[in-house]
Amino acid sequence: MNKIFLKTILFIAATSILASCDKDFNNVGAEIIGDDHYGMEKYTGSLSINASQLSTGPIQTNNLEINPLGIYDNPVFGKTTASFVTQVQLASVAPTYTTGLTRVIQSVKLYIPYFSTNKGVKTNGAYTYALDSIVNPSDKLSKIKLSVFENNRFMGAADTSNSLLTPYLFFTNNTDSNNNSITAPIGSRLNNATTVTENDNFVFDEDEVPVITTIAGVSTTTYKAPGVNLNLDKVYFDNKILHL
């Protein structure tokens, strides 16, 4: 009985000591650091700063997910003009046509979507968009001269000089892996429609793009989100595709 009572007293005493230890605390390093803000004081004297811009040189531009287009004139860094070269192909290689029918290309459209946000529906049922792909939104109505040309250069994906084992590279200074120029426009401008907003007075329009489809004399109009929407020279493509 005495042993049990003694053990109980020891357990209570040990618990009390631990509890009292938990209540004792100190701010470690409080007197070492002090209140001098690590010696960092506000500088109030005169100071001159020199800034300069350095060219990064050409960078690789193969298969970019985002391509800039247009002109950006920065009051500090100057004017930047952005264009791009791409390669297109038919949906199917060497398509066959029904014999005995006259083949005619009715129209050729180039559509490149912008980054835009749907803001809701107008009273006429069309959607309202706001462009968020314009560097300076105040410039979205500024007119630029936009031109589309044929490029006299096949842009292969693999390096033929290395047994097609490495990708062929293209750079922002309009050169390729072998330092050859990749921009060699030939012929006349393809966006030669009489509507000057598609060429000489092009603007980044935030309206929907109408798409009119006519089948058996019945026309249907659908709409796409805002983007570059150009009528290209159908005679040129007729010669390239149907009468090559």
Side-chain angles (χ1 to χ4, degrees):
M1 189 69 179
N2 291 336
K3 291 182 179 181
I4 296 175
F5 180 74
L6 181 60
K7 289 180 179 180
T8 303
I9 293 176
L10 291 175
F11 176 76
I12 294 174
T15 303
S16 300
I17 293 172
L18 290 175
S20 62
C21 290
D22 289 340
K23 292 181 180 179
D24 293 332
F25 60 90
N26 291 310
N27 290 327
V28 178
E31 297 180 357
I32 299 176
I33 297 175
D35 193 27
D36 59 356
H37 303 288
Y38 302 97
M40 300 175 64
E41 301 294 339
K42 182 178 179 181
Y43 181 77
T44 58
S46 60
L47 183 66
S48 61
I49 300 176
N50 296 324
S52 61
Q53 61 183 50
L54 299 176
S55 175
T56 59
I59 61 174
Q60 182 183 337
T61 56
N62 290 59
N63 301 319
L64 294 180
E65 295 183 0
I66 301 174
N67 288 282
L69 175 66
I71 300 172
Y72 177 56
D73 195 357
N74 186 286
V76 177
F77 297 104
K79 180 183 292 185
T80 299
T81 301
S83 59
F84 66 92
V85 180
T86 187
Q87 189 158 286
V88 297
Q89 64 184 25
L90 295 174
S92 58
V93 178
T96 57
Y97 303 95
T98 304
T99 58
L101 298 178
T102 302
R103 300 184 297 272
V104 177
I105 293 181
Q106 295 181 332
S107 64
V108 179
K109 293 278 190 178
L110 173 64
Y111 171 72
I112 305 174
Y114 304 138
F115 286 104
S116 59
T117 302
N118 190 326
K119 293 295 185 179
V121 183
K122 296 180 181 178
T123 55
N124 61 356
Y127 287 102
T128 301
Y129 286 87
L131 302 184
D132 53 18
S133 54
I134 307 300
V135 174
N136 187 357
S138 63
D139 288 343
K140 65 183 179 182
L141 297 180
S142 298
K143 296 179 177 62
I144 64 173
K145 182 176 181 179
L146 181 64
S147 298
V148 178
F149 287 95
E150 177 187 359
N151 188 37
N152 190 24
R153 168 67 191 270
F154 176 75
M155 303 178 69
D159 190 351
T160 56
S161 64
N162 191 26
S163 302
L164 305 178
L165 298 178
T166 57
Y168 207 77
L169 306 181
F170 301 93
F171 301 92
T172 51
N173 63 344
N174 297 329
T175 60
D176 59 14
S177 294
N178 298 323
N179 202 33
N180 297 318
S181 174
I182 62 174
T183 54
I186 60 174
S188 302
R189 185 165 60 170
L190 299 179
N191 56 325
N192 54 3
T194 55
T195 305
V196 294
T197 54
E198 295 187 20
N199 37 62
D200 289 344
N201 292 328
F202 178 82
V203 296
F204 294 97
D205 196 344
E206 59 187 9
D207 291 336
E208 285 184 308
V209 175
V211 180
I212 302 175
T213 305
T214 302
I215 301 176
V218 179
S219 297
T220 304
T221 302
T222 56
Y223 294 91
K224 292 183 178 180
V228 175
N229 185 53
L230 306 177
N231 288 281
L232 302 184
D233 188 351
K234 63 181 181 181
V235 176
Y236 166 85
F237 286 93
D238 184 86
N239 294 329
K240 283 289 184 179
I241 298 174
L242 299 182
H243 301 96
L244 184 62

